[in-house]
Amino acid sequence: MLGLLLELQICMRGREVERRTFTQDSVRIGRDPKADISIDNPSVSWDHAILEKQQDGRYRLQDLESANGTYVNRQRVRKTFVREADVIGIGKFTFTVTYREDRRQASTPFSSKKTDVHVEPVGLTFALSRAEIDRLLQVSNLPPLVPPSTPGEGTEPEIELDESGSPAIRFFLSHRGQLVLSFITGLCVGFLLDRWAR
């Protein structure tokens, strides 16, 4: 049996940021720059979650006691296997799971037929810096990420998933936070009116 490669489509707020294929037995996700998927964002814990390869080639996802939790298909999880097309939710980011055959191994009589599947070059790590996140937000016409000036005085909304898997917005009520809340509310109302008009 051929081995499996784990491919993750990484999206922020529904917009694809990157698509990466992993071969290693474990893939760490967090704010730690040494993580395999490093995301510099306050909604992501330093050591948020880990994907570990099992004997059958599938990966098991484990939350590492993160502050905002780890979700699979909008259900909060501590430890679970991830299947084809499962969507992992971590903070403002989603990771859609795809398994690919590892075509780097020696071919067998059953794998000799031609296929159009192309596996992208395998990357071992992926980092999404605060500057890259800000650039993506500018492209999306969303407010940039601004770190809090003092503890407890945030200027950026933190979007979390609550117990039911629904998005919840948490604000620290500073003057800037109130402005951001007004802006986000306007975007949501505009989106809902646009959807209703269709």
Side-chain angles (χ1 to χ4, degrees), residues 67-86:
N68 292 326
T70 302
Y71 296 80
V72 174
N73 302 327
R74 296 188 176 192
Q75 299 295 317
R76 190 169 188 157
V77 297
R78 289 182 187 223
K79 188 184 290 187
T80 188
F81 286 97
V82 289
R83 298 173 306 215
E84 181 78 17
D86 276 351

Side-chain angles (χ1 to χ4, degrees), residues 24-155:
Q24 62 261 45
D25 290 339
S26 66
V27 178
R28 285 180 48 239
I29 304 170
R31 271 199 340 264
D32 182 355
K34 295 179 182 175
D36 299 301
I37 300 176
S38 175
I39 301 174
D40 184 14
N41 186 270
S43 67
V44 179
S45 295
W46 188 261
D47 285 314
H48 199 107
I50 188 167
L51 286 155
E52 295 177 306
K53 193 171 195 173
Q54 305 302 297
Q55 287 184 344
D56 64 358
R58 295 183 307 152
Y59 281 77
R60 185 178 65 188
L61 174 69
Q62 180 177 351
D63 180 74
L64 299 175
E65 298 182 18
S66 63
N68 292 326
T70 302
Y71 296 80
V72 174
N73 302 327
R74 296 188 176 192
Q75 299 295 317
R76 190 169 188 157
V77 297
R78 289 182 187 223
K79 188 184 290 187
T80 188
F81 286 97
V82 289
R83 298 173 306 215
E84 181 78 17
D86 276 351
V87 178
I88 301 168
I90 294 179
K92 301 171 185 177
F93 300 86
T94 59
F95 307 82
T96 303
V97 175
T98 304
Y99 288 109
R100 302 270 186 228
E101 286 185 5
D102 188 351
R103 302 212 177 267
R104 298 172 304 153
Q105 297 181 4
S107 62
T108 65
F110 301 107
S111 65
S112 59
K113 66 179 184 178
K114 272 190 152 181
T115 178
D116 292 337
V117 176
H118 173 69
V119 177
E120 293 295 322
V122 176
L124 296 179
T125 60
F126 168 72
L128 192 59
S129 68
R130 184 171 293 274
E132 180 65 14
I133 293 170
D134 286 343
R135 187 190 67 74
L136 290 167
L137 289 172
Q138 287 173 354
V139 169
S140 304
N141 293 324
L142 295 172
L145 300 176
V146 181
S149 53
T150 60
E153 184 184 296
T155 57

